[in-house]
Amino acid sequence: MARGLALCCLACLTVAGLSGCESPGSADVTASGDALCAQIFSTNDTHGRLLPAVQSWSEGRPVGGSAALAAYVARERSSTPECPLFIVSGGDVMQGTLISNLTDGRSTIEAMNGIGYDAVAIGNHEFDWGVDVLAERVAEADFAMLGANVYLKDTDRHPDWVRPWTIVEKDGVRIGFVGMVTPSTPTITRAANVVDFEFRSIPDALDHYIPVVRETGVDFVVAVMHEGAFCEDDVCEGRALEALAATTERFDYAVTGHTHSRVEAEVGGVPVIQSFSNTTAYGLGRIDRSADGTVSARRLGIRQVWADEIAPDPALEEVVASYTAELSHLIDRIVVTLPEPLPAPRNGDFALGRIVADAQRHASGADIALMNNGGIRRPLPAGPVSYSDLFELQPFANMLIRHTMSGAQLLRTLEHSVRSSGDVDLHVSGITVRYDPAAPEGERILQVTLDDGSPVRREGRYEVTVNDFLSTGGGGYTTFAEAEAAEAVGLADLEALVSYLEAQPQSFPIPRDPRWIESPAR
C-alpha cells in the first residue's frame, strides 16, 4: 500500500536495544490539582514545502503545503476544544524548495507564523545559509527555535540567538519544550557554517534543562529534537530513541525528526513520534493530568495532509501566493522530459545519481566526478521536469571544486564511501569501481577503471570534481584537503545539472549500467 496510507497507531512498539516498553499512562504522579489535558500537533523536516505536491506514493493526489496544514490544525483544534492544541516541529523547516530558498527561508517562517507554531527544534539544515541568516529568521519567528545542546565552542554558553527551552501557556495549560539538534551536525553541514559551535549530548541537555523547566511550575515537559529513528514492523531503533533512553529526567512526550521516517514508539512508557517529512503528514498526541496528579500521554496517530481533502486556509494561501507570483517564471520552466521516473538514491548506485555526477564532470572538464547521495534530495517524475523540481533535487547551492589528486587519494576516498552494510555513499562519473564490501576495511576497493578502459594507478594524477561540502570534509571525506591543487569551477551544482540536461537529446538517455560493481575477491 502507499507509504503514507498504511499508517496505524501502534499501542506499543519495541525499541531495539533499549529497556522494555512500558504501557502508556505509567508516568509519575505530580502535585494534585485540577484535571487538564493538551494535544500536541507535530511536524518535522518540512524543508520549505509551502506548496502541495504530488508524491511518488500519492497516486496522483496532491499532498502537503502550508495552507492545507493550517486547515488540519484548525480541524484538530476544533475537534477537541477542551484540550488546547500546541504546534511543534522536529526541525529542518526552511531548506529545500525554490519558494523558501530564494528568500533564505523568510517565506517559510512567515507561513509557520501564520499556522501558529509554538516551538521548533533547530535542524542541521537551518545552518545552511550561515549563522547571520539563521539569526535573522529566529528573530522573525513568532515561535521559539530551540537548541539546548548548541554551545559556543570551548564555552558553556549558548549563542545569543539560541533558546534552550521555552514555556507556552494556552487555556491555563503550561508546557515546557526543550529542543535539541543532532550532534552529527558538524559532519553533515558545510563546515564553515558551524565552525564556532559545539553540538553536545542530547541526554545531557535534557537532564540539565528539564529540572530548570519543571521548577517554573509547568504542567508537562515535551522533548523536541532534530535527531531521528526508524520503525520497521514492531521494532524501532535509532539515535533519537537511544538519547531519550539515556535521559534520566522525566519528560512526558517526545517529537523527533531528521530521518524523514515514521516513528511511533515508546521509551520508558513515554510516547515518541515522527511524521515523515515535507508537510505530507502530521503527528497528533495527547497528554492528560488527572485530579490526583497522575500524568499520562498517548499518540493519537500520524495523519496524512491531503491537499484535496480539506479546504485550504485562505490566509495561508494568500501568503504562499505572494511568493509564488514572483517565482512563476522559474517554477513553471520545463528543463527536460524524462521517459521514466528516477528514484532518489539513499544508498547504492542509482541512475539519478549517475546523471548528477555526469553533469558535474561535464561542467568542470574533470576526469572524474563524485557526488554524495545526501545531496540528492528527491526523485524525479516521468514526463516534464521543471526548474523547481531540479531545485528541490539540489537545493544547497553547493559550488563545484576541481581537485588534482593522486590515485592513492582517490582510492581512499572511494574506500570511505563503502558502508559496512555493503551500500555506497558516492555516485561516480568517469570511472567504474569494483569492490568487495566483505573485505577488511582499507581493502574493499578492488579495481577502479577509467571510462577509456585504463586502470586508475596509485601513483597517477587525476582531476576530480566534487561539491564544496565534500571538498571541505563533509561526510568525513578528508582526502580532498590533501589534494595537490583545488580550483573553483565557478558553477553551483544546480547550474551544472540544468545546463547538462538542457543539452541532452530529446530522447533522454538514462545511464543504466552500474558504476559500482560488487565483485568479491576470489
Side-chain angles (χ1 to χ4, degrees), residues 23-380:
S23 62
S26 58
D28 294 347
V29 174
T30 61
S32 60
D34 293 337
L36 48 81
C37 60
Q39 289 194 99
I40 308 297
F41 184 109
S42 61
T43 59
N44 55 273
D45 301 283
T46 55
H47 286 288
R49 175 58 64 188
L50 305 187
L51 289 166
V54 173
Q55 302 290 337
S56 59
W57 47 265
S58 66
E59 300 179 344
R61 296 179 65 187
V63 190
S66 296
L69 192 66
Y72 278 98
V73 166
R75 174 187 287 183
E76 298 294 359
R77 181 179 285 120
S78 64
S79 67
T80 314
E82 69 275 14
C83 298
L85 187 77
F86 296 78
I87 310 169
V88 302
S89 168
D92 272 6
V93 296
M94 296 182 287
Q95 167 67 271
T97 64
L98 195 67
I99 190 175
S100 183
N101 286 34
L102 293 190
T103 64
D104 289 341
R106 183 177 291 106
S107 57
T108 296
I109 297 300
E110 184 175 347
M112 293 178 72
N113 285 342
I115 292 170
Y117 276 83
D118 297 301
V120 172
I122 292 172
N124 56 286
H125 282 299
E126 262 68 81
F127 293 90
D128 282 353
W129 302 311
V131 174
D132 290 344
V133 171
L134 175 54
E136 288 177 5
R137 300 293 87 79
V138 170
E140 291 165 357
D142 294 339
F143 47 88
M145 296 186 70
L146 306 175
N149 64 330
V150 182
Y151 288 85
L152 293 170
K153 186 163 285 186
D154 300 323
T155 76
D156 287 323
R157 294 184 292 111
H158 301 289
D160 57 11
W161 45 267
V162 168
R163 296 171 65 179
W165 55 273
T166 190
I167 295 172
V168 180
E169 181 172 349
K170 296 184 180 182
D171 298 340
V173 178
R174 287 167 50 87
I175 298 184
F177 297 96
V178 184
M180 288 72 55
V181 61
T182 173
S184 66
T185 296
T187 62
I188 58 177
T189 302
R190 189 174 289 161
N193 292 351
V194 294
V195 67
D196 295 326
F197 309 111
E198 294 176 2
F199 298 84
R200 298 180 186 171
S201 158
I202 288 175
D204 288 350
L206 285 169
D207 282 338
H208 178 72
Y209 282 112
I210 287 175
V212 175
V213 171
R214 293 273 184 206
E215 287 175 4
T216 68
V218 296
D219 299 298
F220 309 119
V221 172
V222 174
V224 184
M225 69 175 71
H226 191 70
E227 185 64 284
F230 296 93
C231 292
E232 185 173 347
D233 298 324
D234 289 347
V235 177
C236 297
E237 55 188 348
R239 292 178 180 175
L241 304 179
E242 293 165 4
L244 293 170
T247 301
T248 59
E249 292 291 335
R250 180 174 61 84
F251 55 95
D252 301 305
Y253 193 84
V255 174
T256 69
H258 190 51
T259 47
H260 295 210
S261 55
R262 174 192 66 84
V263 175
E264 292 184 273
E266 274 88 35
V267 174
V270 176
V272 183
I273 198 163
Q274 183 180 154
S275 310
F276 296 113
S277 62
N278 295 302
T279 68
T280 61
Y282 63 91
L284 195 67
R286 175 169 169 152
I287 314 175
D288 286 87
R289 191 186 71 197
S290 64
D292 67 3
T294 300
V295 174
S296 62
R298 66 186 190 273
R299 295 181 314 278
L300 302 178
I302 296 174
R303 303 178 180 182
Q304 222 68 62
V305 181
W306 293 114
D308 60 358
E309 179 189 74
I310 195 167
D313 180 276
L316 264 296
E317 270 198 316
E318 186 174 337
V319 168
V320 174
S322 69
Y323 288 100
T324 56
E326 301 174 14
L327 302 172
S328 60
H329 65 291
L330 293 175
I331 293 172
D332 300 332
R333 174 185 164 193
I334 301 302
V335 175
V336 68
T337 299
L338 295 178
E340 62 189 65
L342 297 175
R346 275 295 169 257
N347 293 295
D349 185 18
F350 287 73
L352 182 53
R354 296 175 206 133
I355 291 168
V356 172
D358 286 347
Q360 295 181 6
R361 182 165 68 98
H362 182 270
S364 64
D367 303 311
I368 299 160
L370 308 175
M371 178 63 203
N372 56 307
N373 286 346
I376 303 173
R377 304 299 293 182
R378 59 159 289 173
L380 292 180

